[in-house]
Amino acid sequence: QVQLVESGGGSVQAGDSLRLSCAASGRSFSAYAMGWFRQAPGKEREFVAAISQIVGITYVTDSVKGRFTISRDNAKKTVYLQMNSLKPEDTAVYYCAADPRPLTTTPIEYSFWGQGTQVTVSS
């Protein structure tokens, strides 16, 4: 079992930056692949970024490539999403997710989820 708590969301202007954090509790954090997803009103939850266990192989979706970076600190049991050059279309609730299986971009394959943090980007 792992519990996830996101933080760092807020309301910003286009072009600004935010760093989201996801703190995990429980054992063996390094054994979990971690993902960030987002959901805008009226839309399905979509994959944003993921990072693998141990060696930290990363993958980000094309729409945020070059702007968003995912990283993890296994000692702190925390995964981060650095978001630069934010756009209004990045507005959504951002969720952190964890799963002990290999890195995946599919929401249904993640076993554990945080409660989400709101990111609002105005033009």
Side-chain angles (χ1 to χ4, degrees):
Q1 279 279 12
V2 61
Q3 295 177 327
L4 305 171
V5 178
E6 302 97 333
S7 62
S11 296
V12 298
Q13 298 287 322
D16 286 349
S17 298
L18 281 175
R19 188 176 79 157
L20 305 183
S21 299
C22 173
S25 61
R27 299 164 63 178
S28 303
F29 172 76
S30 62
Y32 289 86
M34 303 297 297
W36 284 99
F37 295 80
R38 65 187 181 186
Q39 189 166 17
K43 295 188 177 181
E44 293 187 354
R45 192 166 298 189
E46 66 171 353
F47 169 77
V48 177
I51 187 166
S52 70
Q53 298 91 327
I54 309 299
V55 297
I57 296 170
T58 63
Y59 182 73
V60 297
T61 194
D62 285 346
S63 63
V64 306
K65 198 166 291 183
R67 299 189 297 122
F68 291 13
T69 303
I70 187 171
S71 62
R72 67 189 297 161
D73 185 332
N74 289 332
K76 294 183 178 179
K77 296 184 180 181
T78 302
V79 63
Y80 304 98
L81 185 68
Q82 178 66 45
M83 305 186 296
N84 299 329
S85 302
L86 283 160
K87 303 176 181 180
E89 51 263 43
D90 295 319
T91 295
V93 177
Y94 283 71
Y95 296 91
C96 172
D99 197 89
R101 293 170 291 183
L103 187 153
T104 176
T105 65
T106 306
I108 199 171
E109 296 182 1
Y110 282 83
S111 301
F112 305 101
W113 290 85
Q115 82 289 349
T117 185
Q118 176 71 46
V119 172
T120 302
V121 185
S122 57
S123 57

